[in-house]
PDB file of all heavy atoms in Angstrom:
ATOM      1  N   SER A   1     116.376  88.758  63.009  1.00 95.00           N
ATOM      2  CA  SER A   1     115.125  88.833  63.773  1.00 95.00           C
ATOM      3  C   SER A   1     115.270  87.796  64.974  1.00 95.00           C
ATOM      4  O   SER A   1     115.885  86.734  64.762  1.00 95.00           O
ATOM      5  CB  SER A   1     113.918  88.461  62.885  1.00 95.00           C
ATOM      6  OG  SER A   1     112.720  88.638  63.611  1.00 95.00           O
ATOM      7  N   ALA A   2     114.720  88.112  66.080  1.00 91.00           N
ATOM      8  CA  ALA A   2     114.819  87.225  67.241  1.00 91.00           C
ATOM      9  C   ALA A   2     113.554  87.276  68.029  1.00 91.00           C
ATOM     10  O   ALA A   2     112.801  88.256  68.040  1.00 91.00           O
ATOM     11  CB  ALA A   2     116.061  87.600  68.106  1.00 91.00           C
ATOM     12  N   TRP A   3     113.319  86.194  68.791  1.00 86.00           N
ATOM     13  CA  TRP A   3     112.117  86.156  69.642  1.00 86.00           C
ATOM     14  C   TRP A   3     112.223  87.269  70.731  1.00 86.00           C
ATOM     15  O   TRP A   3     113.217  87.422  71.391  1.00 86.00           O
ATOM     16  CB  TRP A   3     112.031  84.769  70.300  1.00 86.00           C
ATOM     17  CG  TRP A   3     110.878  84.691  71.276  1.00 86.00           C
ATOM     18  CD1 TRP A   3     110.901  84.638  72.629  1.00 86.00           C
ATOM     19  CD2 TRP A   3     109.494  84.651  70.927  1.00 86.00           C
ATOM     20  NE1 TRP A   3     109.678  84.520  73.217  1.00 86.00           N
ATOM     21  CE2 TRP A   3     108.732  84.569  72.130  1.00 86.00           C
ATOM     22  CE3 TRP A   3     108.766  84.662  69.701  1.00 86.00           C
ATOM     23  CZ2 TRP A   3     107.382  84.467  72.203  1.00 86.00           C
ATOM     24  CZ3 TRP A   3     107.403  84.600  69.761  1.00 86.00           C
ATOM     25  CH2 TRP A   3     106.689  84.466  70.969  1.00 86.00           C
ATOM     26  N   PHE A   4     111.148  87.997  70.824  1.00 85.00           N
ATOM     27  CA  PHE A   4     111.066  89.049  71.846  1.00 85.00           C
ATOM     28  C   PHE A   4     110.130  88.613  72.987  1.00 85.00           C
ATOM     29  O   PHE A   4     109.010  88.192  72.719  1.00 85.00           O
ATOM     30  CB  PHE A   4     110.521  90.370  71.218  1.00 85.00           C
ATOM     31  CG  PHE A   4     110.474  91.563  72.134  1.00 85.00           C
ATOM     32  CD1 PHE A   4     111.644  92.033  72.718  1.00 85.00           C
ATOM     33  CD2 PHE A   4     109.280  92.112  72.430  1.00 85.00           C
ATOM     34  CE1 PHE A   4     111.550  93.152  73.555  1.00 85.00           C
ATOM     35  CE2 PHE A   4     109.192  93.216  73.268  1.00 85.00           C
ATOM     36  CZ  PHE A   4     110.344  93.745  73.836  1.00 85.00           C
ATOM     37  N   GLN A   5     110.648  88.613  74.194  1.00 88.00           N
ATOM     38  CA  GLN A   5     109.930  88.001  75.286  1.00 88.00           C
ATOM     39  C   GLN A   5     108.808  88.885  75.773  1.00 88.00           C
ATOM     40  O   GLN A   5     108.991  90.051  76.111  1.00 88.00           O
ATOM     41  CB  GLN A   5     110.897  87.731  76.479  1.00 88.00           C
ATOM     42  CG  GLN A   5     110.246  87.044  77.675  1.00 88.00           C
ATOM     43  CD  GLN A   5     109.922  85.585  77.352  1.00 88.00           C
ATOM     44  OE1 GLN A   5     110.732  84.901  76.753  1.00 88.00           O
ATOM     45  NE2 GLN A   5     108.833  85.071  77.788  1.00 88.00           N
ATOM     46  N   TYR A   6     107.523  88.349  75.736  1.00 94.00           N
ATOM     47  CA  TYR A   6     106.406  89.111  76.168  1.00 94.00           C
ATOM     48  C   TYR A   6     105.857  88.603  77.463  1.00 94.00           C
ATOM     49  O   TYR A   6     106.200  87.517  77.938  1.00 94.00           O
ATOM     50  CB  TYR A   6     105.253  88.996  75.101  1.00 94.00           C
ATOM     51  CG  TYR A   6     105.590  89.401  73.739  1.00 94.00           C
ATOM     52  CD1 TYR A   6     105.413  88.618  72.668  1.00 94.00           C
ATOM     53  CD2 TYR A   6     106.189  90.710  73.544  1.00 94.00           C
ATOM     54  CE1 TYR A   6     105.733  88.972  71.369  1.00 94.00           C
ATOM     55  CE2 TYR A   6     106.544  91.100  72.245  1.00 94.00           C
ATOM     56  CZ  TYR A   6     106.317  90.226  71.144  1.00 94.00           C
ATOM     57  OH  TYR A   6     106.651  90.581  69.865  1.00 94.00           O
ATOM     58  N   LEU A   7     105.070  89.443  78.128  1.00 95.00           N
ATOM     59  CA  LEU A   7     104.426  89.066  79.400  1.00 95.00           C
ATOM     60  C   LEU A   7     103.257  88.118  79.103  1.00 95.00           C
ATOM     61  O   LEU A   7     102.742  88.133  77.948  1.00 95.00           O
ATOM     62  CB  LEU A   7     103.874  90.280  80.147  1.00 95.00           C
ATOM     63  CG  LEU A   7     104.894  91.305  80.614  1.00 95.00           C
ATOM     64  CD1 LEU A   7     104.150  92.587  81.093  1.00 95.00           C
ATOM     65  CD2 LEU A   7     105.776  90.777  81.666  1.00 95.00           C
ATOM     66  N   LYS A   8     102.860  87.351  80.016  1.00 95.00           N
ATOM     67  CA  LYS A   8     101.710  86.474  79.793  1.00 95.00           C
ATOM     68  C   LYS A   8     100.417  87.363  79.840  1.00 95.00           C
ATOM     69  O   LYS A   8     100.402  88.363  80.496  1.00 95.00           O
ATOM     70  CB  LYS A   8     101.624  85.430  80.949  1.00 95.00           C
ATOM     71  CG  LYS A   8     102.751  84.352  80.861  1.00 95.00           C
ATOM     72  CD  LYS A   8     102.531  83.336  81.934  1.00 95.00           C
ATOM     73  CE  LYS A   8     103.626  82.292  81.853  1.00 95.00           C
ATOM     74  NZ  LYS A   8     103.506  81.201  82.927  1.00 95.00           N
ATOM     75  N   GLN A   9      99.430  86.862  79.127  1.00 94.00           N
ATOM     76  CA  GLN A   9      98.167  87.582  79.153  1.00 94.00           C
ATOM     77  C   GLN A   9      97.572  87.612  80.558  1.00 94.00           C
ATOM     78  O   GLN A   9      97.495  86.592  81.210  1.00 94.00           O
ATOM     79  CB  GLN A   9      97.206  86.847  78.197  1.00 94.00           C
ATOM     80  CG  GLN A   9      95.818  87.554  78.006  1.00 94.00           C
ATOM     81  CD  GLN A   9      95.943  88.563  76.824  1.00 94.00           C
ATOM     82  OE1 GLN A   9      97.005  88.803  76.214  1.00 94.00           O
ATOM     83  NE2 GLN A   9      94.801  89.151  76.506  1.00 94.00           N
ATOM     84  N   PRO A  10      97.147  88.756  81.089  1.00 94.00           N
ATOM     85  CA  PRO A  10      96.559  88.842  82.419  1.00 94.00           C
ATOM     86  C   PRO A  10      95.313  87.953  82.486  1.00 94.00           C
ATOM     87  O   PRO A  10      94.576  87.868  81.497  1.00 94.00           O
ATOM     88  CB  PRO A  10      96.255  90.279  82.597  1.00 94.00           C
ATOM     89  CG  PRO A  10      97.162  91.031  81.651  1.00 94.00           C
ATOM     90  CD  PRO A  10      97.295  90.148  80.421  1.00 94.00           C
ATOM     91  N   VAL A  11      95.026  87.418  83.602  1.00 91.00           N
ATOM     92  CA  VAL A  11      93.809  86.574  83.824  1.00 91.00           C
ATOM     93  C   VAL A  11      93.014  87.082  85.024  1.00 91.00           C
ATOM     94  O   VAL A  11      92.051  86.418  85.376  1.00 91.00           O
ATOM     95  CB  VAL A  11      94.175  85.128  83.976  1.00 91.00           C
ATOM     96  CG1 VAL A  11      94.803  84.522  82.650  1.00 91.00           C
ATOM     97  CG2 VAL A  11      95.173  84.919  85.127  1.00 91.00           C
ATOM     98  N   GLY A  12      93.397  88.210  85.613  1.00 83.00           N
ATOM     99  CA  GLY A  12      92.701  88.686  86.762  1.00 83.00           C
ATOM    100  C   GLY A  12      91.455  89.428  86.533  1.00 83.00           C
ATOM    101  O   GLY A  12      90.960  89.548  85.365  1.00 83.00           O
ATOM    102  N   VAL A  13      90.878  89.934  87.568  1.00 91.00           N
ATOM    103  CA  VAL A  13      89.651  90.768  87.471  1.00 91.00           C
ATOM    104  C   VAL A  13      90.108  92.254  87.601  1.00 91.00           C
ATOM    105  O   VAL A  13      90.843  92.584  88.535  1.00 91.00           O
ATOM    106  CB  VAL A  13      88.681  90.433  88.583  1.00 91.00           C
ATOM    107  CG1 VAL A  13      87.485  91.366  88.569  1.00 91.00           C
ATOM    108  CG2 VAL A  13      88.293  88.972  88.495  1.00 91.00           C
ATOM    109  N   ALA A  14      89.706  93.111  86.676  1.00 93.00           N
ATOM    110  CA  ALA A  14      90.101  94.453  86.641  1.00 93.00           C
ATOM    111  C   ALA A  14      88.916  95.379  86.717  1.00 93.00           C
ATOM    112  O   ALA A  14      87.743  94.900  86.407  1.00 93.00           O
ATOM    113  CB  ALA A  14      90.911  94.749  85.382  1.00 93.00           C
ATOM    114  N   PRO A  15      89.032  96.650  87.036  1.00 95.00           N
ATOM    115  CA  PRO A  15      87.898  97.557  87.026  1.00 95.00           C
ATOM    116  C   PRO A  15      87.295  97.743  85.690  1.00 95.00           C
ATOM    117  O   PRO A  15      88.007  97.510  84.677  1.00 95.00           O
ATOM    118  CB  PRO A  15      88.583  98.876  87.561  1.00 95.00           C
ATOM    119  CG  PRO A  15      89.830  98.449  88.147  1.00 95.00           C
ATOM    120  CD  PRO A  15      90.300  97.248  87.464  1.00 95.00           C
ATOM    121  N   ASP A  16      86.094  98.168  85.642  1.00 96.00           N
ATOM    122  CA  ASP A  16      85.469  98.466  84.333  1.00 96.00           C
ATOM    123  C   ASP A  16      86.283  99.570  83.579  1.00 96.00           C
ATOM    124  O   ASP A  16      86.640 100.588  84.159  1.00 96.00           O
ATOM    125  CB  ASP A  16      84.050  98.969  84.621  1.00 96.00           C
ATOM    126  CG  ASP A  16      83.317  99.346  83.281  1.00 96.00           C
ATOM    127  OD1 ASP A  16      83.045  98.483  82.500  1.00 96.00           O
ATOM    128  OD2 ASP A  16      83.142 100.649  83.089  1.00 96.00           O
ATOM    129  N   ALA A  17      86.502  99.265  82.364  1.00 97.00           N
ATOM    130  CA  ALA A  17      87.314 100.201  81.528  1.00 97.00           C
ATOM    131  C   ALA A  17      86.562 100.829  80.419  1.00 97.00           C
ATOM    132  O   ALA A  17      87.163 101.353  79.417  1.00 97.00           O
ATOM    133  CB  ALA A  17      88.515  99.430  80.992  1.00 97.00           C
ATOM    134  N   SER A  18      85.236 100.755  80.437  1.00 97.00           N
ATOM    135  CA  SER A  18      84.398 101.171  79.297  1.00 97.00           C
ATOM    136  C   SER A  18      84.627 102.690  79.033  1.00 97.00           C
ATOM    137  O   SER A  18      84.626 103.137  77.857  1.00 97.00           O
ATOM    138  CB  SER A  18      82.959 100.935  79.556  1.00 97.00           C
ATOM    139  OG  SER A  18      82.504 101.495  80.842  1.00 97.00           O
ATOM    140  N   GLU A  19      84.823 103.521  80.059  1.00 97.00           N
ATOM    141  CA  GLU A  19      85.033 104.949  79.835  1.00 97.00           C
ATOM    142  C   GLU A  19      86.354 105.197  79.212  1.00 97.00           C
ATOM    143  O   GLU A  19      86.562 106.047  78.263  1.00 97.00           O
ATOM    144  CB  GLU A  19      84.909 105.688  81.124  1.00 97.00           C
ATOM    145  CG  GLU A  19      84.890 107.196  80.996  1.00 97.00           C
ATOM    146  CD  GLU A  19      84.560 107.973  82.235  1.00 97.00           C
ATOM    147  OE1 GLU A  19      84.444 107.285  83.387  1.00 97.00           O
ATOM    148  OE2 GLU A  19      84.531 109.177  82.242  1.00 97.00           O
ATOM    149  N   MET A  20      87.402 104.383  79.597  1.00 98.00           N
ATOM    150  CA  MET A  20      88.700 104.539  78.963  1.00 98.00           C
ATOM    151  C   MET A  20      88.673 104.175  77.524  1.00 98.00           C
ATOM    152  O   MET A  20      89.163 104.869  76.589  1.00 98.00           O
ATOM    153  CB  MET A  20      89.715 103.591  79.661  1.00 98.00           C
ATOM    154  CG  MET A  20      89.942 103.921  81.157  1.00 98.00           C
ATOM    155  SD  MET A  20      91.183 102.748  81.862  1.00 98.00           S
ATOM    156  CE  MET A  20      90.735 102.847  83.599  1.00 98.00           C
ATOM    157  N   VAL A  21      88.014 103.104  77.193  1.00 98.00           N
ATOM    158  CA  VAL A  21      87.889 102.613  75.820  1.00 98.00           C
ATOM    159  C   VAL A  21      87.066 103.664  74.963  1.00 98.00           C
ATOM    160  O   VAL A  21      87.452 103.920  73.874  1.00 98.00           O
ATOM    161  CB  VAL A  21      87.164 101.219  75.769  1.00 98.00           C
ATOM    162  CG1 VAL A  21      86.885 100.856  74.338  1.00 98.00           C
ATOM    163  CG2 VAL A  21      88.088 100.190  76.441  1.00 98.00           C
ATOM    164  N   ALA A  22      86.058 104.204  75.515  1.00 97.00           N
ATOM    165  CA  ALA A  22      85.257 105.203  74.851  1.00 97.00           C
ATOM    166  C   ALA A  22      86.071 106.475  74.479  1.00 97.00           C
ATOM    167  O   ALA A  22      86.009 106.999  73.406  1.00 97.00           O
ATOM    168  CB  ALA A  22      84.059 105.602  75.657  1.00 97.00           C
ATOM    169  N   LEU A  23      86.904 106.906  75.479  1.00 97.00           N
ATOM    170  CA  LEU A  23      87.766 108.040  75.241  1.00 97.00           C
ATOM    171  C   LEU A  23      88.737 107.761  74.034  1.00 97.00           C
ATOM    172  O   LEU A  23      88.996 108.555  73.196  1.00 97.00           O
ATOM    173  CB  LEU A  23      88.527 108.387  76.496  1.00 97.00           C
ATOM    174  CG  LEU A  23      87.784 109.201  77.552  1.00 97.00           C
ATOM    175  CD1 LEU A  23      88.530 109.198  78.861  1.00 97.00           C
ATOM    176  CD2 LEU A  23      87.515 110.626  77.081  1.00 97.00           C
ATOM    177  N   SER A  24      89.384 106.579  74.173  1.00 96.00           N
ATOM    178  CA  SER A  24      90.351 106.253  73.135  1.00 96.00           C
ATOM    179  C   SER A  24      89.704 106.108  71.719  1.00 96.00           C
ATOM    180  O   SER A  24      90.240 106.652  70.725  1.00 96.00           O
ATOM    181  CB  SER A  24      91.049 104.901  73.486  1.00 96.00           C
ATOM    182  OG  SER A  24      91.896 104.475  72.505  1.00 96.00           O
ATOM    183  N   LYS A  25      88.501 105.516  71.666  1.00 95.00           N
ATOM    184  CA  LYS A  25      87.808 105.366  70.405  1.00 95.00           C
ATOM    185  C   LYS A  25      87.358 106.695  69.921  1.00 95.00           C
ATOM    186  O   LYS A  25      87.263 106.860  68.671  1.00 95.00           O
ATOM    187  CB  LYS A  25      86.632 104.400  70.573  1.00 95.00           C
ATOM    188  CG  LYS A  25      87.060 102.934  70.677  1.00 95.00           C
ATOM    189  CD  LYS A  25      85.883 102.036  70.682  1.00 95.00           C
ATOM    190  CE  LYS A  25      86.306 100.542  70.656  1.00 95.00           C
ATOM    191  NZ  LYS A  25      85.120  99.628  70.627  1.00 95.00           N
ATOM    192  N   SER A  26      87.009 107.669  70.734  1.00 96.00           N
ATOM    193  CA  SER A  26      86.610 108.978  70.284  1.00 96.00           C
ATOM    194  C   SER A  26      87.713 109.708  69.542  1.00 96.00           C
ATOM    195  O   SER A  26      87.515 110.360  68.557  1.00 96.00           O
ATOM    196  CB  SER A  26      86.107 109.856  71.472  1.00 96.00           C
ATOM    197  OG  SER A  26      87.207 110.246  72.315  1.00 96.00           O
ATOM    198  N   VAL A  27      88.929 109.494  70.026  1.00 94.00           N
ATOM    199  CA  VAL A  27      90.033 110.132  69.306  1.00 94.00           C
ATOM    200  C   VAL A  27      90.306 109.380  67.982  1.00 94.00           C
ATOM    201  O   VAL A  27      90.575 110.092  66.987  1.00 94.00           O
ATOM    202  CB  VAL A  27      91.383 110.055  70.189  1.00 94.00           C
ATOM    203  CG1 VAL A  27      92.546 110.562  69.428  1.00 94.00           C
ATOM    204  CG2 VAL A  27      91.204 110.836  71.451  1.00 94.00           C
ATOM    205  N   ASP A  28      90.192 108.112  68.005  1.00 88.00           N
ATOM    206  CA  ASP A  28      90.306 107.396  66.726  1.00 88.00           C
ATOM    207  C   ASP A  28      89.242 107.862  65.652  1.00 88.00           C
ATOM    208  O   ASP A  28      89.600 108.128  64.491  1.00 88.00           O
ATOM    209  CB  ASP A  28      90.023 105.860  66.888  1.00 88.00           C
ATOM    210  CG  ASP A  28      91.231 105.200  67.668  1.00 88.00           C
ATOM    211  OD1 ASP A  28      92.228 105.879  67.822  1.00 88.00           O
ATOM    212  OD2 ASP A  28      91.037 104.027  68.009  1.00 88.00           O
ATOM    213  N   ALA A  29      88.039 108.029  66.121  1.00 90.00           N
ATOM    214  CA  ALA A  29      86.925 108.428  65.205  1.00 90.00           C
ATOM    215  C   ALA A  29      87.197 109.868  64.707  1.00 90.00           C
ATOM    216  O   ALA A  29      86.993 110.156  63.544  1.00 90.00           O
ATOM    217  CB  ALA A  29      85.571 108.371  65.979  1.00 90.00           C
ATOM    218  N   ALA A  30      87.671 110.745  65.588  1.00 89.00           N
ATOM    219  CA  ALA A  30      87.946 112.075  65.114  1.00 89.00           C
ATOM    220  C   ALA A  30      89.106 112.090  64.150  1.00 89.00           C
ATOM    221  O   ALA A  30      89.113 112.850  63.164  1.00 89.00           O
ATOM    222  CB  ALA A  30      88.268 112.974  66.354  1.00 89.00           C
ATOM    223  N   GLY A  31      90.088 111.242  64.360  1.00 83.00           N
ATOM    224  CA  GLY A  31      91.182 111.178  63.415  1.00 83.00           C
ATOM    225  C   GLY A  31      90.764 110.637  62.031  1.00 83.00           C
ATOM    226  O   GLY A  31      91.201 111.148  60.977  1.00 83.00           O
ATOM    227  N   ALA A  32      89.798 109.663  62.080  1.00 76.00           N
ATOM    228  CA  ALA A  32      89.326 109.121  60.868  1.00 76.00           C
ATOM    229  C   ALA A  32      88.531 110.193  60.045  1.00 76.00           C
ATOM    230  O   ALA A  32      88.670 110.265  58.798  1.00 76.00           O
ATOM    231  CB  ALA A  32      88.403 107.894  61.112  1.00 76.00           C
ATOM    232  N   LYS A  33      87.767 111.003  60.748  1.00 80.00           N
ATOM    233  CA  LYS A  33      87.038 112.072  60.085  1.00 80.00           C
ATOM    234  C   LYS A  33      87.988 113.137  59.454  1.00 80.00           C
ATOM    235  O   LYS A  33      87.815 113.590  58.332  1.00 80.00           O
ATOM    236  CB  LYS A  33      86.104 112.774  61.071  1.00 80.00           C
ATOM    237  CG  LYS A  33      84.898 111.918  61.440  1.00 80.00           C
ATOM    238  CD  LYS A  33      83.909 112.683  62.373  1.00 80.00           C
ATOM    239  CE  LYS A  33      82.710 111.861  62.693  1.00 80.00           C
ATOM    240  NZ  LYS A  33      81.808 112.580  63.589  1.00 80.00           N
ATOM    241  N   LEU A  34      89.101 113.382  60.224  1.00 79.00           N
ATOM    242  CA  LEU A  34      90.064 114.369  59.646  1.00 79.00           C
ATOM    243  C   LEU A  34      90.733 113.779  58.410  1.00 79.00           C
ATOM    244  O   LEU A  34      90.966 114.472  57.436  1.00 79.00           O
ATOM    245  CB  LEU A  34      91.129 114.680  60.703  1.00 79.00           C
ATOM    246  CG  LEU A  34      92.189 115.669  60.302  1.00 79.00           C
ATOM    247  CD1 LEU A  34      91.591 117.027  59.951  1.00 79.00           C
ATOM    248  CD2 LEU A  34      93.219 115.830  61.443  1.00 79.00           C
ATOM    249  N   ALA A  35      90.996 112.451  58.415  1.00 67.00           N
ATOM    250  CA  ALA A  35      91.585 111.786  57.279  1.00 67.00           C
ATOM    251  C   ALA A  35      90.721 111.864  56.042  1.00 67.00           C
ATOM    252  O   ALA A  35      91.195 112.068  54.913  1.00 67.00           O
ATOM    253  CB  ALA A  35      91.947 110.326  57.652  1.00 67.00           C
ATOM    254  N   GLU A  36      89.424 111.773  56.239  1.00 65.00           N
ATOM    255  CA  GLU A  36      88.478 111.792  55.159  1.00 65.00           C
ATOM    256  C   GLU A  36      88.457 113.218  54.484  1.00 65.00           C
ATOM    257  O   GLU A  36      88.186 113.284  53.287  1.00 65.00           O
ATOM    258  CB  GLU A  36      87.068 111.499  55.639  1.00 65.00           C
ATOM    259  CG  GLU A  36      86.890 110.052  56.029  1.00 65.00           C
ATOM    260  CD  GLU A  36      85.555 109.740  56.670  1.00 65.00           C
ATOM    261  OE1 GLU A  36      84.752 110.751  56.847  1.00 65.00           O
ATOM    262  OE2 GLU A  36      85.280 108.597  57.094  1.00 65.00           O
ATOM    263  N   ARG A  37      88.780 114.192  55.284  1.00 67.00           N
ATOM    264  CA  ARG A  37      88.809 115.577  54.719  1.00 67.00           C
ATOM    265  C   ARG A  37      89.980 115.762  53.746  1.00 67.00           C
ATOM    266  O   ARG A  37      89.829 116.485  52.717  1.00 67.00           O
ATOM    267  CB  ARG A  37      88.902 116.601  55.808  1.00 67.00           C
ATOM    268  CG  ARG A  37      87.604 116.659  56.714  1.00 67.00           C
ATOM    269  CD  ARG A  37      87.886 117.532  57.873  1.00 67.00           C
ATOM    270  NE  ARG A  37      88.136 118.941  57.562  1.00 67.00           N
ATOM    271  CZ  ARG A  37      88.523 119.822  58.405  1.00 67.00           C
ATOM    272  NH1 ARG A  37      88.678 119.461  59.711  1.00 67.00           N
ATOM    273  NH2 ARG A  37      88.713 121.079  58.025  1.00 67.00           N
ATOM    274  N   GLY A  38      91.055 115.120  54.066  1.00 60.00           N
ATOM    275  CA  GLY A  38      92.261 115.126  53.168  1.00 60.00           C
ATOM    276  C   GLY A  38      92.866 116.561  53.020  1.00 60.00           C
ATOM    277  O   GLY A  38      92.467 117.482  53.679  1.00 60.00           O
ATOM    278  N   GLY A  39      93.797 116.629  52.140  1.00 62.00           N
ATOM    279  CA  GLY A  39      94.399 117.916  51.693  1.00 62.00           C
ATOM    280  C   GLY A  39      94.993 118.721  52.821  1.00 62.00           C
ATOM    281  O   GLY A  39      95.501 118.187  53.814  1.00 62.00           O
ATOM    282  N   GLN A  40      94.912 120.009  52.689  1.00 66.00           N
ATOM    283  CA  GLN A  40      95.535 120.940  53.620  1.00 66.00           C
ATOM    284  C   GLN A  40      95.022 120.833  55.018  1.00 66.00           C
ATOM    285  O   GLN A  40      95.735 120.928  56.009  1.00 66.00           O
ATOM    286  CB  GLN A  40      95.469 122.402  53.166  1.00 66.00           C
ATOM    287  CG  GLN A  40      96.199 123.364  54.009  1.00 66.00           C
ATOM    288  CD  GLN A  40      96.209 124.737  53.394  1.00 66.00           C
ATOM    289  OE1 GLN A  40      95.690 124.943  52.312  1.00 66.00           O
ATOM    290  NE2 GLN A  40      96.772 125.714  54.102  1.00 66.00           N
ATOM    291  N   ALA A  41      93.648 120.673  55.139  1.00 65.00           N
ATOM    292  CA  ALA A  41      93.066 120.525  56.485  1.00 65.00           C
ATOM    293  C   ALA A  41      93.632 119.349  57.225  1.00 65.00           C
ATOM    294  O   ALA A  41      93.912 119.430  58.409  1.00 65.00           O
ATOM    295  CB  ALA A  41      91.554 120.349  56.322  1.00 65.00           C
ATOM    296  N   MET A  42      93.830 118.214  56.531  1.00 62.00           N
ATOM    297  CA  MET A  42      94.385 117.025  57.171  1.00 62.00           C
ATOM    298  C   MET A  42      95.844 117.302  57.565  1.00 62.00           C
ATOM    299  O   MET A  42      96.281 116.914  58.684  1.00 62.00           O
ATOM    300  CB  MET A  42      94.233 115.849  56.308  1.00 62.00           C
ATOM    301  CG  MET A  42      94.862 114.600  56.814  1.00 62.00           C
ATOM    302  SD  MET A  42      94.487 113.147  55.787  1.00 62.00           S
ATOM    303  CE  MET A  42      95.165 113.697  54.218  1.00 62.00           C
ATOM    304  N   ALA A  43      96.611 117.848  56.642  1.00 67.00           N
ATOM    305  CA  ALA A  43      98.031 118.039  56.950  1.00 67.00           C
ATOM    306  C   ALA A  43      98.205 119.006  58.130  1.00 67.00           C
ATOM    307  O   ALA A  43      99.070 118.725  59.009  1.00 67.00           O
ATOM    308  CB  ALA A  43      98.758 118.663  55.710  1.00 67.00           C
ATOM    309  N   GLU A  44      97.465 120.040  58.168  1.00 73.00           N
ATOM    310  CA  GLU A  44      97.594 120.993  59.280  1.00 73.00           C
ATOM    311  C   GLU A  44      97.054 120.427  60.567  1.00 73.00           C
ATOM    312  O   GLU A  44      97.627 120.595  61.668  1.00 73.00           O
ATOM    313  CB  GLU A  44      96.867 122.322  58.922  1.00 73.00           C
ATOM    314  CG  GLU A  44      97.561 123.044  57.776  1.00 73.00           C
ATOM    315  CD  GLU A  44      96.816 124.368  57.450  1.00 73.00           C
ATOM    316  OE1 GLU A  44      95.751 124.591  58.013  1.00 73.00           O
ATOM    317  OE2 GLU A  44      97.396 125.083  56.618  1.00 73.00           O
ATOM    318  N   GLY A  45      95.903 119.795  60.530  1.00 74.00           N
ATOM    319  CA  GLY A  45      95.256 119.204  61.686  1.00 74.00           C
ATOM    320  C   GLY A  45      96.056 118.104  62.386  1.00 74.00           C
ATOM    321  O   GLY A  45      95.992 117.900  63.573  1.00 74.00           O
ATOM    322  N   SER A  46      96.845 117.366  61.612  1.00 73.00           N
ATOM    323  CA  SER A  46      97.655 116.276  62.151  1.00 73.00           C
ATOM    324  C   SER A  46      98.958 116.661  62.784  1.00 73.00           C
ATOM    325  O   SER A  46      99.641 115.862  63.331  1.00 73.00           O
ATOM    326  CB  SER A  46      97.816 115.222  61.030  1.00 73.00           C
ATOM    327  OG  SER A  46      98.631 115.749  59.992  1.00 73.00           O
TER     328      SER A  46
END
């Protein structure tokens, strides 16, 4: 194992990303609901 060089955390001002975050979270939430169904529905849907 060795140290992997990362970029520094940005400190600038960026555009509002609330819509992007909402889109990403919507996919997460739908995936969680599919996981709750389990079984064949989950296997096929994934």
Side-chain angles (χ1 to χ4, degrees):
S1 186
W3 177 253
F4 182 63
Q5 186 70 42
Y6 304 127
L7 298 171
K8 292 182 179 180
Q9 186 88 354
V11 294
V13 177
D16 176 70
S18 56
E19 191 172 1
M20 299 181 201
V21 172
L23 281 168
S24 179
K25 286 186 174 181
S26 70
V27 175
D28 287 353
K33 287 183 179 179
L34 181 62
E36 290 172 2
R37 293 170 63 188
Q40 184 173 355
M42 179 173 56
E44 292 180 353
S46 62

